[in-house]
Amino acid sequence: MKKIIIVLAFFTVLSCKTTSKSSEDKTYFKQSTKEKAADFVLTFGSCNKPDQTNLLWDDIAELNPDVWLWGGDIIYADTENMDKMEADYNLQKKQKGYVNLLKETKVLGTWDDHDFGANDAGLEYPKKEKSQELLLDFLEVDKNSPRRKREGVYHSEVIETAKGSVKVILLDTRYFRTSISKKSVNGDQESRTILGEQQWAWLESELVNSSAEFNIILSSVQVIAEKHPYEKWANFPLERKKLLDVIVSSKANNVILLSGDRHISEFSKEEVSGLTYPLIDFTSSGMTHASENFTKEYNPARVGKVISTKSFGVLKINFDEKKVQMEMRGDATLQQKIEQIYPL
């Protein structure tokens, strides 16, 4: 059974507070004394400049989310000066709204190019080991965590609720990514990789062995949208096909893709052979700056319209109905939403 409903709306967000606490445990259980709008609420966003005003943190906190996910470009370091990168992260950690969110909400994240260290960079970036250390410091990953010894920042966690579980899978699309330029994007495909051999094996295992009712995969760059000229999985067509094939063959329950990078927000949908539901790629960016002069861009997979103002993304999951409401939200506004019913 599957159903897509598109709803466009604007309204003022009502206030509510959260009493959850962060945890670095592999399986995390959120407790709250406040009635929630759904059984599980996930919020995420990307493209954030710490030296610019971010008006969205209070809107995020009011949703009482179970988790906040950084989708990349947490800072715009673009440097090989690690002192400068560390200072940028420290500036973000001092933002009042973010400080308040950290007290109440579990925070996980991955990186994209600007917090990795250089625009459009991949495995060739020379300071990636130190850059990884700084990101893990920012995310307050325990010094003894296995993630401190792993190459790359990919990670997964299972979040349990009273009604069911959600597995969050954070991909690293930078550390192992083959270097390509706009001129070479249509060249040889066989030798290119986004995730690298080790991360591919890890991802397949994470999906095959997942018993979660919902599996959320966060990629810093778009997976489904193929026609735009920017960074995307479609620049690595064999890798894109492999990702879709792994999702199908793993038989993991109800996979949803999240992405950022673009300074716009949109929903993209693809009917993938072997899946009993449409695969949605929910793109949300940016938080402090957006492509407000956006006019049009061809995306035959798009559901609804492009939002080109500052925004963050929300997933509201109802386990009994297997329903997910996906929302693009701005400063005190609901900008657009879709609802999807997943197979029972």
Side-chain angles (χ1 to χ4, degrees):
M1 177 182 182
K2 58 186 179 183
K3 178 171 63 176
I4 295 282
I5 304 172
I6 304 173
V7 183
L8 306 181
F10 292 84
F11 69 102
T12 301
V13 180
L14 300 177
S15 174
C16 90
K17 294 184 179 179
T18 174
T19 58
S20 67
K21 296 181 180 180
S22 322
S23 169
E24 279 296 325
D25 294 340
K26 180 70 174 179
T27 300
Y28 173 76
F29 189 85
K30 161 133 180 181
Q31 295 178 321
S32 175
T33 59
K34 284 291 187 179
E35 182 178 354
K36 297 178 67 65
D39 298 323
F40 179 84
V41 177
L42 178 150
T43 51
F44 75 105
S46 61
C47 302
N48 171 80
K49 293 183 177 181
D51 60 349
Q52 294 187 10
T53 301
N54 190 325
L55 299 175
L56 302 178
W57 292 121
D58 59 334
D59 299 282
I60 295 164
E62 285 172 352
L63 293 170
N64 188 23
D66 294 275
V67 63
W68 164 260
L69 302 184
W70 283 111
D73 293 339
I74 301 168
I75 58 174
Y76 278 68
D78 295 301
T79 185
E80 293 180 20
N81 181 335
M82 296 295 103
D83 291 336
K84 192 266 185 188
M85 182 177 286
E86 184 175 14
D88 288 348
Y89 277 127
N90 288 337
L91 182 61
Q92 175 56 42
K93 291 191 76 169
K94 293 176 182 177
Q95 281 195 359
K96 182 178 179 181
Y98 185 62
V99 169
N100 292 337
L101 187 77
L102 280 173
K103 294 176 182 177
E104 305 291 345
T105 303
K106 183 173 183 63
V107 173
L108 301 171
T110 189
W111 55 20
D112 199 30
D113 51 346
H114 298 293
D115 39 3
F116 179 63
N119 186 48
D120 294 350
L123 60 82
E124 75 284 356
Y125 177 67
K127 296 293 186 72
K128 58 186 180 181
E129 292 87 357
K130 181 60 178 178
S131 178
Q132 173 173 331
E133 180 184 335
L134 291 178
L135 175 62
L136 297 182
D137 288 347
F138 172 77
L139 294 173
E140 300 181 352
V141 174
D142 189 274
K143 294 293 186 181
N144 296 317
S145 169
R147 296 164 68 186
R148 294 285 185 172
K149 298 179 180 179
R150 174 191 291 165
E151 289 187 316
V153 300
Y154 56 92
H155 178 59
S156 76
E157 293 203 21
V158 176
I159 303 175
E160 299 283 356
T161 77
K163 292 284 189 74
S165 60
V166 176
K167 188 168 198 174
V168 176
I169 299 174
L170 305 167
L171 300 182
D172 184 336
T173 65
R174 293 293 164 187
Y175 198 97
F176 307 98
R177 202 206 72 172
T178 306
S179 177
I180 60 171
S181 67
K182 290 183 179 180
K183 290 183 179 180
S184 65
V185 71
N186 294 318
D188 171 58
Q189 304 294 333
E190 293 290 338
S191 61
R192 292 185 189 175
T193 185
I194 293 179
L195 302 186
E197 183 177 348
Q198 182 177 341
Q199 187 178 181
W200 268 119
W202 169 86
L203 174 60
E204 185 167 7
S205 176
E206 290 293 324
L207 288 171
V208 167
N209 295 305
S210 176
S211 59
E213 283 83 353
F214 290 89
N215 291 274
I216 313 299
I217 300 177
L218 175 59
S219 163
S220 66
V221 296
Q222 289 182 307
V223 176
I224 290 180
E226 297 182 87
K227 303 300 182 181
H228 64 76
Y230 309 106
E231 290 202 290
K232 55 187 181 291
W233 276 73
N235 291 343
F236 300 74
L238 297 181
E239 293 282 276
R240 183 184 187 276
K241 182 181 185 302
K242 184 175 181 178
L243 177 60
L244 300 184
D245 288 347
V246 166
I247 290 171
V248 172
S249 64
S250 71
K251 301 187 184 305
N253 295 322
N254 305 325
V255 175
I256 300 170
L257 302 174
L258 306 180
S259 58
D261 175 59
R262 294 295 321 286
H263 303 174
I264 60 171
S265 295
E266 65 178 347
F267 302 112
S268 300
K269 177 184 74 172
E270 183 166 338
E271 299 285 349
V272 179
S273 178
L275 290 184
T276 56
Y277 55 89
L279 187 63
I280 299 293
D281 184 352
F282 181 176
T283 302
S284 182
S285 70
M287 297 187 69
T288 60
H289 54 290
S291 297
E292 300 198 12
N293 59 349
F294 178 91
T295 54
K296 62 181 180 179
E297 179 181 284
Y298 181 55
N299 179 7
R302 184 179 299 128
V303 178
K305 64 180 182 179
V306 168
I307 298 299
S308 58
T309 54
K310 298 167 189 172
S311 64
F312 66 96
V314 185
L315 299 186
K316 295 179 178 178
I317 295 178
N318 181 306
F319 287 100
D320 292 334
E321 299 179 16
K322 293 292 189 292
K323 181 174 70 175
V324 180
Q325 183 164 292
M326 307 181 192
E327 300 178 352
M328 299 171 188
R329 287 181 174 263
D331 185 19
T333 60
L334 173 67
Q335 298 161 322
Q336 185 174 196
K337 70 179 181 181
I338 65 173
E339 291 181 355
Q340 181 166 330
I341 306 295
Y342 285 84
L344 297 174

